[in-house]
């Protein structure tokens, strides 16, 4: 997949971007598993995407919910049995 981050928060460790192949917007967070690190991508609507870019506090609130696994239904790829822990 080819993705482009439109906003990256190094301080809060998340990004907001677009999947260039599907034109779907996402919010991603880093995750650490036992033997590797990876990113989880959560699909968001066009409206959420625009809102999160304009209002970083609401984006951070959403990210914190993702870290608590409250939006697993929005994951673009479902985690396997060795799911990591959000960083």
């Amino acid at each position: 997949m080819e993705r482009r981050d439109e906003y990256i928060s190094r301080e809060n460790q998340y990004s907001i971007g677009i999947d260039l192949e599907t034109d779907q917007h996402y919010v991603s967070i880093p995750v650490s598993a036992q033997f590797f690190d990876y990113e989880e991508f959560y699909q968001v609507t066009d409206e959420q995407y625009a809102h999160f870019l304009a209002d970083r506090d609401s984006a951070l609130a959403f990210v914190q919910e993702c870290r608590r696994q409250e939006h697993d239904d929005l994951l673009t790829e479902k985690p396997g049995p060795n799911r990591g822990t959000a960083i």
Side-chain angles (χ1 to χ4, degrees), residues 44-58:
V44 296
T45 65
D46 295 345
E47 293 80 16
Q48 287 173 307
Y49 170 79
H51 180 71
F52 292 159
L53 287 176
D55 181 356
R56 304 288 161 65
D57 288 337
S58 66

Side-chain angles (χ1 to χ4, degrees), residues 12-83:
N12 295 304
Q13 298 186 332
Y14 72 91
S15 64
I16 302 170
I18 186 168
D19 182 317
L20 299 174
E21 294 176 14
T22 64
D23 287 329
Q24 295 293 318
H25 296 105
Y26 63 81
V27 170
S28 70
I29 60 171
V31 176
S32 182
Q34 185 175 0
F35 297 109
F36 56 92
D37 295 337
Y38 64 97
E39 282 186 274
E40 288 185 340
F41 291 86
Y42 295 81
Q43 184 174 336
V44 296
T45 65
D46 295 345
E47 293 80 16
Q48 287 173 307
Y49 170 79
H51 180 71
F52 292 159
L53 287 176
D55 181 356
R56 304 288 161 65
D57 288 337
S58 66
L60 183 55
F62 180 81
V63 164
Q64 291 168 337
E65 292 168 356
C66 291
R67 288 187 176 123
R68 292 190 301 265
Q69 301 178 356
E70 295 176 14
H71 294 292
D72 283 359
D73 58 313
L74 301 176
L75 282 165
T76 59
E77 295 180 35
K78 303 304 178 199
N82 296 325
R83 184 177 189 175

